[in-house]
Amino acid sequence: MKPQTIDVGSNNVVDLFTGKPLGEVQDNVIRISPEFDGLEMLYTNDTAPDKLYSLKIVCWALKESGEAVGMVPWLNKIVPCTEINDPLNGRWEGYRDPTCNDIFYSAPTHKVIELETAAQYYDYDADNTDIAIQEIPDAIGTHAVLTDNGFRSFILVEVLSWRLLGNGEILAMLVDEDEVKSTPVLPGDPCLYTAQEHPEFRYFFQHRIANKIKEQDPEALAAISMLIEG
C-alpha cells in the first residue's frame, strides 16, 4: 500500500490560543498580566556601555506565537523588552528581580502559566479591533508627556491603566478630569481617554523621572527639552 501523504502546511495547523491557522497568526499580543512584584528590565546604551540600567516592567504579555515577554513604556509606546535594540536609547540585556538580584532571560514560569491559562479560558473575537479585551492598572507610576502651545510648554499626566484591544494594541489610559463622575477612578471608567491618540502626546516617563521633572530638576528638564525639541 502506498503511504498516505499528509499535508501539514501552516494552513492546516491551528494555533492553540487564537484558533487561527498558523499562516494567519501575526504574533499580536493576546493577553496581558500586570507585574506587581517589582521585576525589572535591564538595558545598556552606548553613552555608558559598561553600565546596566533598570526599568520597571508594567506587565507581561502573551503573543499569538505563544511567546511571553515583559512590556515597558519606552519613549512613545509600550514595547516588548526583548525588542529594544537601539544603540543610543538602549538595548535589552535581560530581566532582574531586585529583591534577590537574580538576572534571567525569559518570562517567569508563574506568569507564563497565568497568561496561557487565561488565554485559553477567555474567548474573544480577535478580529474586532474595537473591543477592549483587558484593562489593567498601571502599578509603576507611568506618566504621559503632553505638550501645549506648539511645544512651548508641557504637562505630565498620570497613566491610570493599560487597555488591550482585539488587534493586540496596548493603549495608555488617562483621566479626563472634566468627565469624572465618581471617585476613585478605576480602569474602564468612561472618563478615560487614550494617550496615544491625543494630538499633543509625546513620551512616557516612569515615576522617578516624572517626579524629578515635577521638582524642576535641571538635568531632567534639560533632557525632556531635548526630547521635545528633537
Side-chain angles (χ1 to χ4, degrees):
M1 179 182 295
K2 185 178 180 180
Q4 182 180 4
T5 301
I6 301 176
D7 182 4
V8 291
S10 60
N11 288 331
N12 294 323
V13 181
V14 176
D15 180 75
L16 176 64
F17 301 111
T18 65
K20 296 180 180 179
L22 284 183
E24 298 179 12
V25 173
Q26 299 177 346
D27 212 19
N28 290 332
V29 173
I30 59 173
R31 192 76 191 173
I32 54 178
S33 172
E35 172 51 51
F36 289 137
D37 294 309
L39 299 183
E40 301 172 339
M41 175 192 78
L42 296 176
Y43 68 98
T44 56
N45 60 45
D46 283 359
T47 60
D50 297 327
K51 185 175 181 180
L52 276 174
Y53 298 91
S54 66
L55 196 64
K56 288 189 177 297
I57 294 169
V58 69
C59 67
W60 297 89
L62 180 67
K63 295 184 176 183
E64 288 181 330
S65 64
E67 180 187 13
V69 292
M71 304 289 291
V72 292
W74 188 259
L75 297 179
N76 60 358
K77 54 188 176 180
I78 181 170
V79 299
C81 298
T82 53
E83 294 181 8
I84 295 175
N85 185 22
D86 184 296
L88 180 61
N89 293 314
R91 295 189 187 91
W92 177 74
E93 298 291 348
Y95 303 117
R96 173 176 175 264
D97 183 345
T99 62
C100 57
N101 211 30
D102 280 350
I103 296 176
F104 50 101
Y105 303 96
S106 58
T109 302
H110 67 282
K111 282 297 181 184
V112 175
I113 293 173
E114 176 188 346
L115 288 164
E116 291 179 347
T117 305
Q120 293 178 48
Y121 180 82
Y122 291 100
D123 187 23
Y124 62 89
D125 182 4
D127 294 323
N128 191 334
T129 60
D130 296 328
I131 288 182
I133 298 172
Q134 279 182 275
E135 190 163 339
I136 62 171
D138 178 90
I140 61 173
T142 309
H143 287 63
V145 178
L146 307 180
T147 59
D148 194 15
N149 300 323
F151 295 93
R152 294 179 183 176
S153 62
F154 64 88
I155 59 172
L156 290 169
V157 182
E158 295 179 12
V159 174
L160 184 103
S161 58
W162 298 90
R163 181 176 294 174
L164 173 63
L165 301 184
N167 64 353
E169 187 177 8
I170 301 175
L171 304 175
M173 307 305 296
L174 312 179
V175 177
D176 183 342
E177 299 293 347
D178 294 331
E179 297 295 327
V180 174
K181 304 299 182 185
S182 62
T183 57
V185 176
L186 302 176
D189 194 288
C191 73
L192 298 177
Y193 66 95
T194 304
Q196 290 96 322
E197 295 178 356
H198 192 288
E200 300 298 332
F201 167 69
R202 293 295 177 264
Y203 296 101
F204 290 120
F205 285 113
Q206 289 198 4
H207 76 287
R208 182 174 60 85
I209 300 299
N211 285 332
K212 283 189 175 183
I213 294 171
K214 292 176 182 178
E215 294 166 0
Q216 303 290 303
D217 179 82
E219 291 185 3
L221 291 175
I224 194 172
S225 295
M226 290 178 62
L227 283 172
I228 292 176
E229 292 172 2

